């Protein structure tokens, strides 16, 4: 049976309550941050220099490997098993590629 010194229990209870409050605030802000990250995907598309061997079904990537004419890139759409990928050349102006010198 623990021995309780007068006043010590109230300090411990207050500090535990304070820690719980901080923990709940951190957990809540982490959940909000995760929801925001999931809700707003990046609008920019990455430009690959080669076509990857493995792709998720129905995903789309853009490849600049000089297989299309000038000013165009290869658009590759993944397909389920035993089906071919869909490939087409699209104008580079249709892409939203991030610029290296973009201002904030």
């Amino acid at each position: 049976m623990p021995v309780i010194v007068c006043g010590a229990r109230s300090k411990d209870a207050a500090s535990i309550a304070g820690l719980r409050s901080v923990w709940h605030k951190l957990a809540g802000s982490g959940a909000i941050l995760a929801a925001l990250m999931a809700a707003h995907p990046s609008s920019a598309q990455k430009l690959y220099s080669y076509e990857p061997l493995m792709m998720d079904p129905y995903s789309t990537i853009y490849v600049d490997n000089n297989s299309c004419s000038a000013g165009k890139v290869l658009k590759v759409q993944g397909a389920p098993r035993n089906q071919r990928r869909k490939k087409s050349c699209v104008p580079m102006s249709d892409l939203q590629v991030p610029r290296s010198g973009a201002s904030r």
Side-chain angles (χ1 to χ4, degrees):
M1 188 164 186
V3 177
I4 299 173
V5 178
C6 241
R9 181 157 171 83
S10 64
K11 282 184 185 177
D12 290 340
S15 64
I16 290 173
L19 288 175
R20 284 184 185 156
S21 173
V22 170
W23 174 253
H24 287 300
K25 286 179 186 177
L26 288 175
S29 63
I32 291 171
L33 182 63
L36 287 175
M37 296 279 284
H40 298 288
S42 175
S43 62
Q45 289 113 0
K46 185 175 179 185
L47 199 58
Y48 291 86
S49 59
Y50 59 90
E51 185 178 341
L53 291 174
M54 301 291 290
M55 275 182 70
D56 291 332
Y58 308 108
S59 64
T60 302
I61 64 164
Y62 296 90
V63 181
D64 188 14
N65 60 358
N66 297 327
S67 61
C68 295
S69 60
K72 293 187 177 184
V73 292
L74 185 66
K75 177 181 176 181
V76 182
Q77 294 175 315
R81 292 182 183 204
N82 301 327
Q83 293 187 10
R84 292 185 177 265
R85 295 176 178 174
K86 293 180 183 177
K87 299 180 183 181
S88 61
C89 292
V90 297
M92 183 82 92
S93 60
D94 288 356
L95 300 181
Q96 297 177 356
V97 180
R99 291 180 237 149
S100 59
S103 61
R104 292 180 189 194

